[in-house]
């Protein structure tokens, strides 16, 4: 594990152009989809992040030939045969291996994958995955360090998800494409990353009907899938991170590759707060406002305001004149970063109440899932510690927009999801170094 630190000298407006990489939360799933065929698949625009490396390790362990071209950001995965469907351990943990259950079962009839890791942002159970798979003929057994799955008869099913879970929707799709008969997912997650997966699977010969407005996905199982070449969509979370970094430091940045259709709910709030947004050829320009006003944000599944965006946005709201609210309805424990912002001079109160209008699963349970931010505050640099990827980005933006120097530890979190973040930010004028 990295013991590196970032030293950031804040107070400089970011300016210039930065290009977003491919989405890690899409690319890693595309890599898993390649395991459904014995033909080669090429995935382009893959980010060089640790989550990509962990997924490559998983593919390598089961017997795939994995060739990553780091210059081209392209990965070729060829799995003529699954040699080892039992992978109880990997060198590091993330949330991807559980998605390999379907492909491994189709290829060999059994699967064993390590228990999940990922960011500490709530309980993050996988009961929706397990219940859906069991409806489709799979038995999943929880072992001390792994999930072991077997099946005797794979078939489609009608599945009503209790919540539009990204991972559960992906898991069901990855299993249903080769299952006998039809699968219907109601209350499905319809994130752009999932559509990227659907596009890849369609290219491989899968039959999938995508009705995102109704949150319905219908899959007709086919008997075989072929190889394909697919491009990973740009990372929406990176785009938002760079956009907020520009707005919060008083700068102006063109984010190449940012897509308006993926960022509508973010753009609306950025404009409400007082930022300027210019959709241009090949990307979006974000320009800081002279002053910011308070806004109310409620996170929710796509097309809502994404849970991964509230952390950077919170930093911007410390600069807004008045009281802003963030009501987090996706994860119950995603405000751990707030205490560091407070130490930097922000005035933020955390509550277990629903400070919003949206129906929320955390009403009445003691989950600290709402905050109010009273601004404007002048942030000052200090020693802070990242606790997860997106909170880590909030720390970086806070330090970039603060007066003085900050020392950030825990930066292994950011390396999981952002490729060479400090080098790229330096090109925008940021004073950030890794020591
Ligand atoms: N949930 C359950 N049971 C389940 C599955 C989910 O209760 O079986 C709950 C979760 O506990 C959570 C909510 O449903 O409260 C949503 O979870 P979801 O399954 O949608 O999340 P995920 O698939 O585990 C992905 C991303 C997250 C992103 C969320 C929401 C990946 C690898 N991770 O997680 O990204 O925040 O969707 O959009 O795709 C990140 O990149 O930093 C990150 C955390």
């Amino acid at each position: 594990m990295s013991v590196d630190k970032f030293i950031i000298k804040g107070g400089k407006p970011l300016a210039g152009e930065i290009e977003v990489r491919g989405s890690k939360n899409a690319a890693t799933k595309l890599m898993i989809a390649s395991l459904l065929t014995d033909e080669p698949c090429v995935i382009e625009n893959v980010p060089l992040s640790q989550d990509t490396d962990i997924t490559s390790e998983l593919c390598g362990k089961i017997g795939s030939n994995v060739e990553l071209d780091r210059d081209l950001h392209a990965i070729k995965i060829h799995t003529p045969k699954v040699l080892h469907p039992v992978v109880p351990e990997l060198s590091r943990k993330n949330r991807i291996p559980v998605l390999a259950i379907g492909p491994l079962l189709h290829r060999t009839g059994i699967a064993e994958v390590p228990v999940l890791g990922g960011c500490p942002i709530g309980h993050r159970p996988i009961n929706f995955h397990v219940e859906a798979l069991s409806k489709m003929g799979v038995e999943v057994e929880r072992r001390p360090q792994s999930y072991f799955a077997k099946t005797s008869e794979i078939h489609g099913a009608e599945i009503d998800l209790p919540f539009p879970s990204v991972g559960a929707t992906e898991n069901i799709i990855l299993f249903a494409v080769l299952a006998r008969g039809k699968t219907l997912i109601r209350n499905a997650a319809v994130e752009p990353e999932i559509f990227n997966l659907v596009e890849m699977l369609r290219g491989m010969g899968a039959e999938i009907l995508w009705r995102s407005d109704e949150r319905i996905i219908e899959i007709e199982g086919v008997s075989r899938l072929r190889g394909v070449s697919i491009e990973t969509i740009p990372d929406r979370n990176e785009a938002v991170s760079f956009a907020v970094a520009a707005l919060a430091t008083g700068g102006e940045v063109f984010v190449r590759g940012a897509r308006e259709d993926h960022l509508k709910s973010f753009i609306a709030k950025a404009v409400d707060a007082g930022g300027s947004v210019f959709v241009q050829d090949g990307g979006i320009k974000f320009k800081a406002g002279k002053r910011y006003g308070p806004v109310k944000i409620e996170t929710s599944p796509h097309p809502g305001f994404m849970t991964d965006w509230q952390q950077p946005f919170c930093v911007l709201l410390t600069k807004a004149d008045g009281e802003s609210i963030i009501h987090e309805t996706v994860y119950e424990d995603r405000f751990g970063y707030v205490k560091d912002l407070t130490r930097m001079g922000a005035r933020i109160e955390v509550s277990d109440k629903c400070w919003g209008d949206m129906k929320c699963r955390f009403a009445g349970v003691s989950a600290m899932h709402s905050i109010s931010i009273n601004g404007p505050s002048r942030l000052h640099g200090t020693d802070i510690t990242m606790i997860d990827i997106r909170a880590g980005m909030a720390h970086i933006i806070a330090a970039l927009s603060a007066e003085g120097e900050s020392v950030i530890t825990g930066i292994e979190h950011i390396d999981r999801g952002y490729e060479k973040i400090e080098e790229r930010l330096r090109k925008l004028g940021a004073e950030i170094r890794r020591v």
Side-chain angles (χ1 to χ4, degrees):
M1 196 173 268
S2 157
V3 286
D4 292 355
K5 295 176 187 159
F6 283 145
I7 311 236
I8 295 180
K9 196 152 167 266
K12 245 181 114 178
L14 298 193
E17 176 175 325
I18 191 165
E19 182 166 16
V20 286
R21 298 281 188 241
S23 157
K24 84 159 173 78
N25 287 348
T28 44
K29 325 294 173 60
L30 305 182
M31 291 168 71
I32 296 294
S34 77
L35 306 179
L36 287 161
T37 174
D38 56 8
E39 294 181 13
C41 292
V42 175
I43 302 155
E44 287 165 5
N45 201 25
V46 170
L48 304 179
S49 68
Q50 286 187 12
D51 272 2
T52 311
D53 293 343
I54 303 173
T55 315
S56 293
E57 184 188 346
L58 173 76
C59 296
K61 281 211 166 177
I62 66 161
S64 315
N65 302 314
V66 182
E67 287 169 36
L68 172 64
D69 186 323
R70 302 186 82 84
D71 295 329
L72 288 179
H73 285 81
I75 196 160
K76 183 175 174 190
I77 305 179
H78 186 198
T79 316
K81 205 165 186 305
V82 171
L83 301 172
H84 310 286
V86 173
V87 185
E89 236 177 54
L90 289 169
S91 59
R92 285 158 296 177
K93 291 192 190 335
N94 68 6
R95 303 192 64 74
I96 308 303
V98 75
L99 302 176
I101 288 180
L104 294 179
L105 284 175
H106 281 300
R107 300 289 297 270
T108 71
I110 60 162
E112 186 170 0
V113 293
V115 287
L116 277 54
C119 295
I121 51 183
H123 296 304
R124 306 189 81 181
I126 59 154
N127 53 326
F128 306 160
H129 302 232
V130 174
E131 282 157 25
L133 289 175
S134 93
K135 273 194 151 182
M136 300 169 83
V138 180
E139 269 177 61
V140 182
E141 181 195 325
R142 172 75 157 84
R143 294 186 171 170
Q145 295 303 325
S146 62
Y147 294 101
F148 178 80
K150 62 181 183 189
T151 178
S152 44
E153 208 220 331
I154 295 170
H155 52 80
E158 286 196 15
I159 292 155
D160 290 273
L161 284 175
F163 184 81
S165 152
V166 170
T169 302
E170 291 164 340
N171 216 335
I172 299 165
I173 295 173
L174 283 162
F175 192 57
V177 281
L178 284 177
R180 184 174 50 79
K182 184 159 140 180
T183 297
L184 178 70
I185 315 176
R186 293 195 198 89
N187 204 23
V190 291
E191 267 62 8
E193 293 76 17
I194 306 179
F195 189 63
N196 203 185
L197 174 67
V198 165
E199 272 183 323
M200 171 168 176
L201 291 165
R202 281 177 176 162
M204 294 168 77
E207 287 182 23
I208 306 173
L209 203 68
W210 174 264
R211 285 157 51 195
S212 58
D213 290 351
E214 299 154 82
R215 291 199 177 282
I216 284 181
I217 301 173
E218 269 180 58
I219 303 135
E220 189 69 49
V222 295
S223 56
R224 165 159 213 283
L225 294 172
R226 56 181 176 267
V228 75
S229 183
I230 178 89
E231 183 163 337
T232 311
I233 58 167
D235 194 315
R236 300 184 287 150
N237 295 329
E238 272 206 1
V240 163
S241 305
F242 300 143
V244 178
L247 300 180
T249 59
E252 182 171 339
V253 171
F254 177 66
V255 184
R256 183 167 293 285
R259 278 177 55 168
E260 185 194 16
D261 57 334
H262 290 172
L263 296 172
K264 282 201 170 120
S265 50
F266 166 74
I267 291 173
K269 292 295 177 185
V271 170
D272 269 5
S276 301
V277 178
F278 307 92
V279 177
Q280 298 176 342
D281 238 18
I284 305 178
K285 184 158 90 180
F286 296 90
K287 186 172 174 211
K290 291 217 172 1
R291 53 190 296 277
Y292 292 107
V295 296
K296 181 171 171 185
I297 285 173
E298 297 189 73
T299 66
S300 62
H302 186 76
F305 190 99
M306 204 183 174
T307 167
D308 303 76
W309 300 341
Q310 53 96 344
Q311 307 78 349
F313 213 92
C314 175
V315 179
L316 180 65
L317 294 177
T318 65
K319 319 222 170 265
D321 192 353
E323 187 190 24
S324 297
I325 296 287
I326 302 180
H327 178 212
E328 168 62 70
T329 78
V330 179
Y331 288 109
E332 69 272 36
D333 186 16
R334 226 175 175 182
F335 287 118
Y337 65 95
V338 158
K339 72 174 186 332
D340 273 348
L341 294 190
T342 309
R343 290 177 53 241
M344 296 176 82
R347 282 173 289 143
I348 304 177
E349 193 188 330
V350 188
S351 169
D352 62 357
K353 304 277 177 318
C354 293
W355 282 341
D357 309 315
M358 263 181 199
K359 204 169 149 237
C360 164
R361 292 169 298 144
F362 313 131
V365 299
S366 59
M368 305 300 272
H369 70 290
S370 294
I371 58 172
S372 79
I373 306 144
N374 268 290
S377 304
R378 287 167 85 92
L379 301 187
H380 52 81
T382 187
D383 293 358
I384 47 182
T385 305
M386 290 182 183
I387 49 169
D388 70 65
I389 303 180
R390 308 303 163 198
M393 204 60 219
H395 278 105
I396 292 179
I397 297 170
L400 289 171
S401 71
E403 284 163 21
E405 189 174 276
S406 297
V407 178
I408 311 185
T409 47
I411 67 173
E412 63 276 5
H413 291 295
I414 212 84
D415 290 337
R416 266 193 46 218
Y418 293 82
E419 182 184 323
K420 297 187 183 149
I421 189 70
E422 72 278 22
E423 284 178 25
R424 296 161 69 207
L425 287 172
R426 270 202 295 270
K427 291 196 184 129
L428 296 177
E431 287 192 41
I432 172 170
R433 57 198 170 89
R434 184 186 287 254
V435 292

